[in-house]
Every structure is written in C-alpha cells, then in structure tokens.
Amino acid sequence: MSKLYISYNIVHKLCQQAAQEIKALGQLVDLIVAIGGGGFIPARILRSFLKEEGKKNIPIQAIGLSLYEQMGDEEKIGKEVVRTQWLDFGSLGQHMDMLIGKNVIIVDEVDDTRTTLHYAVTELERDVREIEEKTGKQGTTKFSVFVLHNKRKAKRAELPEEFKEKGRYIAGTDVDDVWIAYPWDAIDIDEHTEAAKEQGNY
C-alpha cells in the first residue's frame, strides 16, 4: 500500500478550513471530544480557529477507543471497538449534564472503516439519554464529526441518518485508500516533512 505523508502545515490548514465551514453555518461549538490518539492535535488546533474573541476557550474532552480482534472457534471473526478512556462524569460532579442541549463536535484524524466514529457517536448518544434520565433535564444535544481525511472506500459502519445534514459531517479532504503518515507519528520530523513536500502535501 502506498504511503501518503502529511505535514503539520496541512493539518493546520485543514482545521482552519473546517472551522470556517462551521462558523459559516452559524454553529456554536460547546464541547470538543477528541478521539485519541489521532484526534488530540486536530482538536486542539480546531479550537484555536473556533475561539470567539472575548469568550472562554471551548473545553476539550478526550476519549480513547481501541480495536480488538474478535475470536470465534480459534479464528478471527472481525474487530470490536472498546472503550479504553471515556468522559469522566464522576469527577465532573455537578456538571454531569454538560452534554445536555449542547453542540458537540467529535474529532479524529481519519475516517477509515468508520467503526470507531460509529461507536463514539452511538455511545455518546447513549450517555446523553442516561444523563437525561438521571437528572431529569432535557435538551437537544447535537453531535457533529470532523476528520482530517476521509478514505474513499466502503465503510463497515454508518453514522446516524441526521449526519447527512450539512455541517454534521466535515472531512478536511477525501483521499484514496492509502496508508496515511501523520507528523505526530514521525521519528524524524525533518525527513517526514521533506517526504510530504515531495508529494505536494505541504
């Protein structure tokens, strides 16, 4: 599989482009949820571009998800997404309702098979329902997704129908089904950046 090298400059510009799109739709983001580890850096950069002068920074919460091989009769039968880190509502105390009635954007680096995004959205929506039941508070919580890259390929999972609405699913750019090398994974960042430049990804 060919490798696509991505520079920090490209990441920065894709986040800026996404923020402009979000602002153009008049959407105020109340919370950013970063899927680790690829969503951490894009989430932080996105927040800088979404910040409104004179207003507080948008809070960022991190969730961790991992794919594990499912075994059946000693054979691999697929992959299962599991939580390794999640929103800590216990430590939030009185702020358990921080998701209720809010605009929340979930950030990851790449939409590959879509299984991770599907799991994140499904579980967060379930959290909202459980919090509403516990607190008695109701509100229209709106989840959106931003990824740097969407791979043009068949997906193993889908997002809810409402994500087809404009602005609910934002991909910085679409790419073929290639191996994407992100700068935060680079051992030699200078070598990585030069490879990105050679491919026009700078």
Side-chain angles (χ1 to χ4, degrees), residues 15 18 22 24 89 169 184 200:
C15 291
I22 292 166
F89 293 112
Y169 176 90
W184 46 81

Side-chain angles (χ1 to χ4, degrees), residues 18-31:
Q20 290 171 346
E21 184 175 340
I22 292 166
K23 286 184 173 182
L25 292 168
Q27 297 182 31
L28 295 176
V29 177
D30 299 301
L31 174 68

Side-chain angles (χ1 to χ4, degrees), residues 78-176:
K79 292 185 176 181
E80 177 188 14
V81 183
V82 297
R83 298 185 185 193
T84 56
Q85 177 187 352
W86 205 251
L87 304 182
D88 186 0
F89 293 112
S91 66
L92 292 172
Q94 296 179 344
H95 301 288
M96 270 189 66
D97 61 345
M98 65 177 293
L99 290 175
I100 306 300
K102 300 295 193 298
N103 287 327
V104 182
I105 188 160
I106 302 164
V107 179
D108 207 358
E109 85 275 43
V110 62
D111 183 0
D112 190 345
T113 62
R114 198 163 284 173
T115 50
T116 300
L117 285 173
H118 169 80
Y119 183 90
V121 170
T122 302
E123 290 297 294
L124 286 167
E125 287 181 339
R126 181 181 300 168
D127 285 342
V128 168
R129 291 193 297 271
E130 290 180 356
I131 294 168
E132 286 178 337
E133 290 174 3
K134 287 179 180 178
T135 64
K137 294 187 177 181
Q138 298 289 321
T140 303
T141 304
K142 185 177 179 181
F143 289 103
S144 303
V145 163
F146 166 59
V147 293
L148 294 172
H149 297 96
N150 170 51
K151 290 190 179 182
R152 290 186 286 257
K153 61 186 289 185
K155 307 298 186 184
R156 294 179 186 168
E158 290 300 329
L159 296 172
E161 189 68 20
E162 59 266 24
F163 277 79
K164 292 181 180 178
E165 297 172 11
K166 187 173 178 61
R168 295 291 295 274
Y169 176 90
I170 299 172
T173 189
D174 294 333
V175 297
D176 292 331

Side-chain angles (χ1 to χ4, degrees), residues 2-21:
S2 59
K3 186 183 289 189
L4 184 67
Y5 288 89
I6 302 298
S7 71
Y8 276 116
N9 281 18
I10 290 292
V11 172
H12 201 85
K13 290 172 183 177
L14 291 177
C15 291
Q16 183 179 27
Q17 173 186 302
Q20 290 171 346
E21 184 175 340

Side-chain angles (χ1 to χ4, degrees), residues 176-202:
D176 292 331
D177 187 14
V178 296
W179 179 7
I180 304 176
Y182 288 102
W184 46 81
D185 291 322
I187 302 301
D188 186 329
I189 191 60
D190 294 323
E191 183 180 283
H192 179 100
T193 303
E194 284 304 312
K197 284 182 178 179
E198 288 177 10
Q199 293 182 342
N201 297 321
Y202 187 78

Side-chain angles (χ1 to χ4, degrees), residues 42-98:
R44 178 60 187 83
I45 297 172
L46 182 68
R47 182 174 79 169
S48 293
F49 287 117
L50 288 175
K51 182 173 171 56
E52 298 286 344
E53 190 174 345
K55 294 187 177 180
K56 293 181 179 179
N57 273 323
I58 301 167
I60 299 175
Q61 288 278 327
I63 60 174
L65 301 173
S66 293
L67 282 171
Y68 287 93
E69 296 287 356
Q70 288 181 306
M71 305 298 291
D73 297 329
E74 299 183 356
E75 293 183 0
K76 293 179 182 178
I77 58 175
K79 292 185 176 181
E80 177 188 14
V81 183
V82 297
R83 298 185 185 193
T84 56
Q85 177 187 352
W86 205 251
L87 304 182
D88 186 0
F89 293 112
S91 66
L92 292 172
Q94 296 179 344
H95 301 288
M96 270 189 66
D97 61 345
M98 65 177 293

